[in-house]
Amino acid sequence: MHDAPLTLTAQRALTLPVVIDGRTFTFQLDTGASETVIKRGTWRTLGLPPGVATEARGAGGAVDGGELVPLAELRIGDAIVRDLSVGVLGFDDLGGLEGIDGVLGQDVLRRYVVEIDVPNGRFTLHARTPTSEDRPAAPDRSAASDRSDAPDRSDAPDRSGASDRSDTSDRSVASDRSVASDRSVAPDRAAASDRAAAPAAPTWDVLGLVAIPYVDTLGLIRIEGALDGVPLAAIFDLGAAATIANHRAAPHAIAARGPSVFGADGTPIVMATARGRTLAFGDLAFAARDLFVADLPVFEVFGLAEQPAAILGMDLLLSRRIVIDPDARRVYVSI
């Protein structure tokens, strides 16, 4: 378990200290960013080499002038995250927020079970369980011949030759890999199966939290819910200052006269407003007194442009404690 202080700014940005090469920087926590990015001034401070040109996208569309550079490691509290490729973006202040040196995205966050305690200003990284389908350390136990850490078995039909594999402690007991179903011959594999069926208890407190299932959409968290009873899909985005629905979700929204919010790339976005709406996700309901409405370019990127959709942002999550568990594919939010 690794802790770091969490700050909520006046612009509803969640920030935390991140250490790179012995220097401490201020990063925005952003579950709506698939990749970690740094601004160009941070890149110059670190003396990183030029990167490969890439295109980033924010709520308002594409962000020009991006590069992708390798980063050996970064530290969050006493957690060390290694072997990253981070984006370098050309705008001076990420999302128009002064003092932000970078954005911590899902490429880092999904390596852990992440606990975000907004009211108490605490950010915690918990170790993921060893039974996640995403982790190479936990291959499918039902098929011994389909092990992800094994070499190509197509040219080795004789399974008895596997008894000298370095990643197995006692092949003399279970040298015939084709008889994976015989638990009396391979009791260690039965124990592994039992562990997979009964994962370890979480190290975080589940009391008072509501579980919301999610699916991974382009590296981001997509949850299913409803707006005033009408089904919609939403991106769980702690980097968004405000919750924004598209016009298919709120077709009778009242148009505004000028920019209402700024996207993560600093682009001003003209919004309509729908008043007195209720967003519900499972057993959790949010009262949205003034819901912003706009057909953002990112809805098309996510494949959500032709259906009711929303970005669930910080305006509705300010007072919540949140846990994101990529092993269970659940977001847990306090009532």
Side-chain angles (χ1 to χ4, degrees), residues 131 141 180 182-199:
T131 58
R141 302 298 187 184
D182 187 352
R183 300 304 185 185
S184 63
V185 177
D188 56 326
R189 295 191 61 80
S193 177
D194 291 341
R195 286 194 298 271

Side-chain angles (χ1 to χ4, degrees), residues 20-312:
I20 305 174
D21 196 22
R23 298 178 175 90
T24 300
F25 298 93
T26 299
F27 274 50
Q28 180 180 3
L29 174 65
D30 190 355
T31 61
S34 59
E35 306 295 336
T36 295
V37 301
I38 59 177
K39 69 179 186 181
R40 197 161 295 280
T42 307
W43 170 75
R44 286 192 293 265
T45 298
L46 291 169
L48 296 173
V52 178
T54 186
E55 181 182 76
R57 290 186 177 272
V63 180
D64 295 329
E67 296 180 58
L68 199 63
V69 300
L71 187 66
E73 69 174 42
L74 60 78
R75 294 173 179 256
I76 306 166
D78 57 358
I80 303 174
V81 183
R82 294 188 171 91
D83 300 326
L84 289 169
S85 292
V86 300
V88 180
L89 298 184
F91 48 89
D92 292 332
D93 293 303
L94 295 173
L97 301 173
E98 295 183 1
I100 302 296
D101 302 306
V103 169
L104 193 66
Q106 288 286 7
D107 56 336
V108 171
L109 300 176
R110 74 169 64 96
R111 301 187 186 197
Y112 300 89
V113 174
V114 178
E115 183 176 358
I116 303 129
D117 190 341
V118 181
N120 293 308
R122 184 170 60 93
F123 176 81
T124 306
L125 298 174
H126 300 269
R128 290 180 59 170
T129 62
T131 58
S132 168
E133 63 188 25
D134 289 338
R135 294 169 64 87
D140 183 2
R141 302 298 187 184
S142 65
S145 63
D146 192 25
R147 289 174 55 89
S148 61
D149 59 344
D152 185 0
R153 311 302 280 266
S154 61
D155 58 350
D158 184 4
R159 301 301 185 184
S160 63
S163 61
D164 59 351
R165 285 177 52 82
S166 59
D167 63 339
T168 304
S169 59
D170 187 7
R171 296 301 187 184
S172 62
V173 178
S175 59
D176 185 0
R177 306 291 297 182
S178 64
V179 194
S181 61
D182 187 352
R183 300 304 185 185
S184 63
V185 177
D188 56 326
R189 295 191 61 80
S193 177
D194 291 341
R195 286 194 298 271
T203 58
W204 42 274
D205 185 7
V206 300
L207 186 64
L209 299 182
V210 173
I212 305 171
Y214 77 80
V215 296
D216 186 297
T217 299
L218 299 179
L220 304 184
I221 296 170
R222 171 177 165 168
I223 57 179
E224 301 297 324
L227 176 61
D228 292 339
V230 178
L232 90 168
I235 300 299
F236 192 86
D237 187 356
L238 296 183
T243 298
I244 304 170
N246 65 6
H247 282 278
R248 288 186 177 271
H252 304 297
I254 301 172
R257 293 185 177 180
S260 304
V261 297
F262 289 86
D265 53 3
T267 301
I269 302 170
V270 177
M271 297 287 177
T273 304
R275 300 186 183 279
R277 301 304 181 91
T278 299
L279 275 166
F281 300 95
D283 295 328
L284 196 65
F286 299 92
R289 186 178 64 180
D290 294 304
L291 177 66
F292 289 125
V293 180
D295 291 329
L296 303 177
V298 292
F299 286 128
E300 186 170 353
V301 173
F302 297 143
L304 301 176
E306 301 302 319
Q307 68 180 84
I311 293 173
L312 180 59

